[in-house]
Amino acid sequence: MRTASRLRTAHPALWAGWAALAAGAVLCVIGWYGISGERFAERQLPYLASCTIPGAALIVAGAVLLAHGRGQVAAARVEELYGLLVDAGPAGAEESAPEATAPLAVSGEMRMVPGGTLWHRADCPLVAGKADAVPVDAKLLRGGGLSACPICDPPGDTG
């Protein structure tokens, strides 16, 4: 699986990011401590050049590595979820292959949910078993107040 390998490669980037952040913080503290003990600027410059500036650079590099590593982990998770969705077929996919072309709903009775924007066949999975689903009012349908359900694809005219 490619996602498992991507997750494994993302974790070292995260660890490297945290290590760079920690090392940068330590260098900045050492630089601050060295600078604070010196009174003259010419004696502070070596601490600034050898500790504080590299420490700040490590902090920035660590932040970039963390952002990159988290992006890789997120991308790997999205890819894994997509793979699960694509690979997961309906139960008994071999047996239901001929049924895949059959319509989802075939009832002639039209229903709608009060306050909804779609009208459905009575056996559409979106309204089947809902106690509040009511028959479609023909005036509302002709007035254009409802759209046809894209799932069950009801006929254009109910009467």
Side-chain angles (χ1 to χ4, degrees):
M1 292 227 160
R2 290 185 309 165
T3 56
S5 64
R6 286 186 75 183
L7 281 174
R8 275 187 240 120
T9 59
H11 289 297
L14 290 173
W15 283 107
W18 284 114
L21 279 173
V26 167
L27 282 175
C28 284
V29 168
I30 292 171
W32 170 79
Y33 183 75
I35 288 173
S36 68
E38 296 296 334
R39 182 173 181 199
F40 300 107
E42 61 272 0
R43 289 188 167 176
Q44 294 175 354
L45 286 177
Y47 291 107
L48 185 66
S50 64
C51 291
T52 308
I53 293 174
L58 277 173
I59 288 173
V60 170
V64 169
L65 283 171
L66 281 176
H68 180 68
R70 286 184 179 166
Q72 280 184 335
V73 169
R77 287 180 181 164
V78 167
E79 186 177 320
E80 181 180 0
L81 287 173
Y82 178 75
L84 290 173
L85 284 172
V86 170
D87 290 342
E94 305 83 31
E95 300 167 3
S96 66
E99 296 173 11
T101 59
L104 189 60
V106 292
S107 172
E109 182 184 356
M110 301 303 148
R111 315 266 297 152
M112 66 174 272
V113 177
T117 59
L118 300 174
W119 53 284
H120 312 266
R121 294 179 185 264
D123 55 347
C124 176
L126 298 177
V127 294
K130 292 193 176 188
D132 58 342
V134 295
V136 173
D137 182 18
K139 287 187 228 176
L140 183 63
L141 189 60
R142 283 191 208 112
L146 295 174
S147 302
C149 172
I151 305 292
C152 64
D153 193 26
D157 187 19
T158 60

